PDB file of all heavy atoms in Angstrom:
ATOM      1  N   LYS A  62       6.923  20.519 -20.215  1.00  0.00           N
ATOM      2  CA  LYS A  62       7.527  19.943 -19.024  1.00  0.00           C
ATOM      3  C   LYS A  62       6.454  19.338 -18.114  1.00  0.00           C
ATOM      4  O   LYS A  62       6.662  18.280 -17.509  1.00  0.00           O
ATOM      5  CB  LYS A  62       8.292  21.050 -18.275  1.00  0.00           C
ATOM      6  CG  LYS A  62       9.009  20.576 -17.003  1.00  0.00           C
ATOM      7  CD  LYS A  62      10.214  19.727 -17.336  1.00  0.00           C
ATOM      8  CE  LYS A  62      11.109  19.495 -16.122  1.00  0.00           C
ATOM      9  NZ  LYS A  62      11.767  20.731 -15.660  1.00  0.00           N
ATOM     10  N   ILE A  66       6.269  15.553 -16.409  1.00  0.00           N
ATOM     11  CA  ILE A  66       6.105  15.309 -14.973  1.00  0.00           C
ATOM     12  C   ILE A  66       4.921  14.387 -14.722  1.00  0.00           C
ATOM     13  O   ILE A  66       5.004  13.434 -13.930  1.00  0.00           O
ATOM     14  CB  ILE A  66       5.934  16.646 -14.225  1.00  0.00           C
ATOM     15  CG1 ILE A  66       7.230  17.468 -14.315  1.00  0.00           C
ATOM     16  CG2 ILE A  66       5.572  16.394 -12.766  1.00  0.00           C
ATOM     17  CD1 ILE A  66       7.106  18.869 -13.760  1.00  0.00           C
ATOM     18  N   ASP A 351      18.583  17.433  -1.349  1.00  0.00           N
ATOM     19  CA  ASP A 351      17.507  17.981  -0.539  1.00  0.00           C
ATOM     20  C   ASP A 351      16.896  16.963   0.416  1.00  0.00           C
ATOM     21  O   ASP A 351      15.910  17.234   1.083  1.00  0.00           O
ATOM     22  CB  ASP A 351      16.403  18.567  -1.428  1.00  0.00           C
ATOM     23  CG  ASP A 351      15.907  17.572  -2.472  1.00  0.00           C
ATOM     24  OD1 ASP A 351      16.207  16.375  -2.304  1.00  0.00           O
ATOM     25  OD2 ASP A 351      15.251  17.997  -3.435  1.00  0.00           O
ATOM     26  N   LYS A 353      15.186  14.326  -0.159  1.00  0.00           N
ATOM     27  CA  LYS A 353      13.902  13.756  -0.552  1.00  0.00           C
ATOM     28  C   LYS A 353      14.033  12.725  -1.664  1.00  0.00           C
ATOM     29  O   LYS A 353      13.040  12.322  -2.242  1.00  0.00           O
ATOM     30  CB  LYS A 353      12.963  14.865  -1.019  1.00  0.00           C
ATOM     31  CG  LYS A 353      12.626  15.891   0.053  1.00  0.00           C
ATOM     32  CD  LYS A 353      11.686  16.948  -0.494  1.00  0.00           C
ATOM     33  CE  LYS A 353      11.357  18.000   0.540  1.00  0.00           C
ATOM     34  NZ  LYS A 353      10.475  19.055  -0.014  1.00  0.00           N
ATOM     35  N   PHE A 358       6.933  11.504  -5.873  1.00  0.00           N
ATOM     36  CA  PHE A 358       6.602  12.866  -6.289  1.00  0.00           C
ATOM     37  C   PHE A 358       5.732  13.599  -5.283  1.00  0.00           C
ATOM     38  O   PHE A 358       5.702  14.828  -5.266  1.00  0.00           O
ATOM     39  CB  PHE A 358       5.910  12.828  -7.652  1.00  0.00           C
ATOM     40  CG  PHE A 358       6.822  12.404  -8.764  1.00  0.00           C
ATOM     41  CD1 PHE A 358       6.892  11.081  -9.169  1.00  0.00           C
ATOM     42  CD2 PHE A 358       7.629  13.325  -9.409  1.00  0.00           C
ATOM     43  CE1 PHE A 358       7.738  10.688 -10.195  1.00  0.00           C
ATOM     44  CE2 PHE A 358       8.472  12.947 -10.439  1.00  0.00           C
ATOM     45  CZ  PHE A 358       8.532  11.629 -10.823  1.00  0.00           C
ATOM     46  N   ASP A 359       5.022  12.885  -4.427  1.00  0.00           N
ATOM     47  CA  ASP A 359       4.147  13.541  -3.460  1.00  0.00           C
ATOM     48  C   ASP A 359       4.932  14.356  -2.434  1.00  0.00           C
ATOM     49  O   ASP A 359       4.341  15.184  -1.723  1.00  0.00           O
ATOM     50  CB  ASP A 359       3.281  12.508  -2.740  1.00  0.00           C
ATOM     51  CG  ASP A 359       2.266  11.865  -3.671  1.00  0.00           C
ATOM     52  OD1 ASP A 359       1.995  12.454  -4.733  1.00  0.00           O
ATOM     53  OD2 ASP A 359       1.770  10.768  -3.344  1.00  0.00           O
ATOM     54  N   SER A 360       6.232  14.124  -2.323  1.00  0.00           N
ATOM     55  CA  SER A 360       7.047  14.853  -1.364  1.00  0.00           C
ATOM     56  C   SER A 360       7.464  16.232  -1.872  1.00  0.00           C
ATOM     57  O   SER A 360       8.124  16.977  -1.151  1.00  0.00           O
ATOM     58  CB  SER A 360       8.310  14.040  -1.016  1.00  0.00           C
ATOM     59  OG  SER A 360       7.962  12.784  -0.498  1.00  0.00           O
ATOM     60  N   PHE A 361       7.101  16.570  -3.098  1.00  0.00           N
ATOM     61  CA  PHE A 361       7.534  17.820  -3.708  1.00  0.00           C
ATOM     62  C   PHE A 361       6.346  18.651  -4.158  1.00  0.00           C
ATOM     63  O   PHE A 361       5.321  18.113  -4.583  1.00  0.00           O
ATOM     64  CB  PHE A 361       8.444  17.542  -4.912  1.00  0.00           C
ATOM     65  CG  PHE A 361       9.726  16.846  -4.567  1.00  0.00           C
ATOM     66  CD1 PHE A 361       9.773  15.457  -4.490  1.00  0.00           C
ATOM     67  CD2 PHE A 361      10.889  17.561  -4.325  1.00  0.00           C
ATOM     68  CE1 PHE A 361      10.950  14.811  -4.180  1.00  0.00           C
ATOM     69  CE2 PHE A 361      12.069  16.915  -4.024  1.00  0.00           C
ATOM     70  CZ  PHE A 361      12.100  15.546  -3.942  1.00  0.00           C
ATOM     71  N   ARG A 362       6.496  19.959  -4.077  1.00  0.00           N
ATOM     72  CA  ARG A 362       5.497  20.871  -4.633  1.00  0.00           C
ATOM     73  C   ARG A 362       5.656  20.931  -6.148  1.00  0.00           C
ATOM     74  O   ARG A 362       6.710  20.610  -6.697  1.00  0.00           O
ATOM     75  CB  ARG A 362       5.656  22.268  -4.037  1.00  0.00           C
ATOM     76  CG  ARG A 362       5.435  22.357  -2.542  1.00  0.00           C
ATOM     77  CD  ARG A 362       5.482  23.810  -2.095  1.00  0.00           C
ATOM     78  NE  ARG A 362       5.282  23.935  -0.650  1.00  0.00           N
ATOM     79  CZ  ARG A 362       6.268  23.967   0.236  1.00  0.00           C
ATOM     80  NH1 ARG A 362       7.531  23.876  -0.183  1.00  0.00           N
ATOM     81  NH2 ARG A 362       6.012  24.081   1.519  1.00  0.00           N
ATOM     82  N   SER A 363       4.602  21.384  -6.814  1.00  0.00           N
ATOM     83  CA  SER A 363       4.633  21.472  -8.273  1.00  0.00           C
ATOM     84  C   SER A 363       5.750  22.385  -8.758  1.00  0.00           C
ATOM     85  O   SER A 363       6.430  22.082  -9.748  1.00  0.00           O
ATOM     86  CB  SER A 363       3.277  21.984  -8.800  1.00  0.00           C
ATOM     87  OG  SER A 363       2.250  21.075  -8.473  1.00  0.00           O
ATOM     88  N   ALA A 364       5.961  23.482  -8.056  1.00  0.00           N
ATOM     89  CA  ALA A 364       7.023  24.418  -8.452  1.00  0.00           C
ATOM     90  C   ALA A 364       8.395  23.774  -8.326  1.00  0.00           C
ATOM     91  O   ALA A 364       9.295  24.028  -9.144  1.00  0.00           O
ATOM     92  CB  ALA A 364       6.947  25.684  -7.603  1.00  0.00           C
ATOM     93  N   GLU A 365       8.575  22.931  -7.302  1.00  0.00           N
ATOM     94  CA  GLU A 365       9.856  22.248  -7.118  1.00  0.00           C
ATOM     95  C   GLU A 365      10.094  21.255  -8.253  1.00  0.00           C
ATOM     96  O   GLU A 365      11.216  21.138  -8.767  1.00  0.00           O
ATOM     97  CB  GLU A 365       9.882  21.525  -5.769  1.00  0.00           C
ATOM     98  CG  GLU A 365       9.897  22.436  -4.564  1.00  0.00           C
ATOM     99  CD  GLU A 365       9.862  21.656  -3.261  1.00  0.00           C
ATOM    100  OE1 GLU A 365       8.905  20.869  -3.063  1.00  0.00           O
ATOM    101  OE2 GLU A 365      10.785  21.814  -2.454  1.00  0.00           O
ATOM    102  N   LEU A 366       9.049  20.526  -8.619  1.00  0.00           N
ATOM    103  CA  LEU A 366       9.181  19.545  -9.697  1.00  0.00           C
ATOM    104  C   LEU A 366       9.505  20.226 -11.022  1.00  0.00           C
ATOM    105  O   LEU A 366      10.281  19.707 -11.823  1.00  0.00           O
ATOM    106  CB  LEU A 366       7.903  18.719  -9.826  1.00  0.00           C
ATOM    107  CG  LEU A 366       7.557  17.799  -8.650  1.00  0.00           C
ATOM    108  CD1 LEU A 366       6.198  17.151  -8.873  1.00  0.00           C
ATOM    109  CD2 LEU A 366       8.622  16.726  -8.472  1.00  0.00           C
ATOM    110  N   ASP A 367       8.900  21.379 -11.258  1.00  0.00           N
ATOM    111  CA  ASP A 367       9.104  22.078 -12.525  1.00  0.00           C
ATOM    112  C   ASP A 367      10.544  22.538 -12.695  1.00  0.00           C
ATOM    113  O   ASP A 367      11.017  22.695 -13.825  1.00  0.00           O
ATOM    114  CB  ASP A 367       8.156  23.275 -12.606  1.00  0.00           C
ATOM    115  CG  ASP A 367       8.087  23.846 -14.010  1.00  0.00           C
ATOM    116  OD1 ASP A 367       7.800  23.065 -14.941  1.00  0.00           O
ATOM    117  OD2 ASP A 367       8.345  25.055 -14.180  1.00  0.00           O
ATOM    118  N   LYS A 368      11.263  22.714 -11.599  1.00  0.00           N
ATOM    119  CA  LYS A 368      12.652  23.181 -11.672  1.00  0.00           C
ATOM    120  C   LYS A 368      13.639  22.032 -11.883  1.00  0.00           C
ATOM    121  O   LYS A 368      14.809  22.270 -12.172  1.00  0.00           O
ATOM    122  CB  LYS A 368      13.018  23.927 -10.390  1.00  0.00           C
ATOM    123  CG  LYS A 368      12.273  25.234 -10.191  1.00  0.00           C
ATOM    124  CD  LYS A 368      12.662  25.880  -8.869  1.00  0.00           C
ATOM    125  CE  LYS A 368      11.887  27.174  -8.643  1.00  0.00           C
ATOM    126  NZ  LYS A 368      12.234  27.799  -7.341  1.00  0.00           N
ATOM    127  N   LYS A 369      13.176  20.814 -11.732  1.00  0.00           N
ATOM    128  CA  LYS A 369      14.091  19.669 -11.815  1.00  0.00           C
ATOM    129  C   LYS A 369      14.295  19.232 -13.258  1.00  0.00           C
ATOM    130  O   LYS A 369      13.402  19.337 -14.089  1.00  0.00           O
ATOM    131  CB  LYS A 369      13.558  18.500 -10.980  1.00  0.00           C
ATOM    132  CG  LYS A 369      13.504  18.802  -9.494  1.00  0.00           C
ATOM    133  CD  LYS A 369      13.151  17.581  -8.696  1.00  0.00           C
ATOM    134  CE  LYS A 369      13.088  17.920  -7.202  1.00  0.00           C
ATOM    135  NZ  LYS A 369      14.398  18.394  -6.695  1.00  0.00           N
ATOM    136  N   THR A 370      15.479  18.720 -13.525  1.00  0.00           N
ATOM    137  CA  THR A 370      15.778  18.172 -14.843  1.00  0.00           C
ATOM    138  C   THR A 370      15.115  16.802 -14.978  1.00  0.00           C
ATOM    139  O   THR A 370      14.715  16.187 -13.966  1.00  0.00           O
ATOM    140  CB  THR A 370      17.293  18.015 -15.022  1.00  0.00           C
ATOM    141  OG1 THR A 370      17.771  17.010 -14.101  1.00  0.00           O
ATOM    142  CG2 THR A 370      18.021  19.337 -14.766  1.00  0.00           C
ATOM    143  N   GLU A 373      16.753  14.316 -12.702  1.00  0.00           N
ATOM    144  CA  GLU A 373      16.407  14.491 -11.295  1.00  0.00           C
ATOM    145  C   GLU A 373      15.000  13.978 -11.009  1.00  0.00           C
ATOM    146  O   GLU A 373      14.731  13.438  -9.934  1.00  0.00           O
ATOM    147  CB  GLU A 373      16.528  15.967 -10.914  1.00  0.00           C
ATOM    148  CG  GLU A 373      17.968  16.457 -10.837  1.00  0.00           C
ATOM    149  CD  GLU A 373      18.067  17.946 -10.601  1.00  0.00           C
ATOM    150  OE1 GLU A 373      17.116  18.680 -10.990  1.00  0.00           O
ATOM    151  OE2 GLU A 373      19.075  18.396 -10.031  1.00  0.00           O
ATOM    152  N   LEU A 374      14.105  14.113 -11.967  1.00  0.00           N
ATOM    153  CA  LEU A 374      12.763  13.547 -11.806  1.00  0.00           C
ATOM    154  C   LEU A 374      12.827  12.024 -11.713  1.00  0.00           C
ATOM    155  O   LEU A 374      12.098  11.404 -10.930  1.00  0.00           O
ATOM    156  CB  LEU A 374      11.869  13.964 -12.980  1.00  0.00           C
ATOM    157  CG  LEU A 374      11.482  15.448 -13.056  1.00  0.00           C
ATOM    158  CD1 LEU A 374      10.746  15.722 -14.360  1.00  0.00           C
ATOM    159  CD2 LEU A 374      10.616  15.845 -11.870  1.00  0.00           C
ATOM    160  N   ILE A 377      13.834  10.709  -8.182  1.00  0.00           N
ATOM    161  CA  ILE A 377      12.844  10.699  -7.100  1.00  0.00           C
ATOM    162  C   ILE A 377      11.676   9.768  -7.395  1.00  0.00           C
ATOM    163  O   ILE A 377      10.823   9.559  -6.545  1.00  0.00           O
ATOM    164  CB  ILE A 377      12.316  12.123  -6.816  1.00  0.00           C
ATOM    165  CG1 ILE A 377      11.555  12.668  -8.026  1.00  0.00           C
ATOM    166  CG2 ILE A 377      13.445  13.049  -6.417  1.00  0.00           C
ATOM    167  CD1 ILE A 377      10.903  14.007  -7.771  1.00  0.00           C
TER     168      ILE A 377
END
Side-chain angles (χ1 to χ4, degrees):
K62 181 72 168 293
I66 294 173
D351 53 15
K353 298 180 181 178
F358 292 94
D359 292 341
S360 302
F361 297 86
R362 297 186 180 93
S363 297
E365 292 178 302
L366 294 175
D367 193 54
K368 293 178 182 179
K369 295 187 181 298
T370 66
E373 288 174 333
L374 291 173
I377 64 175

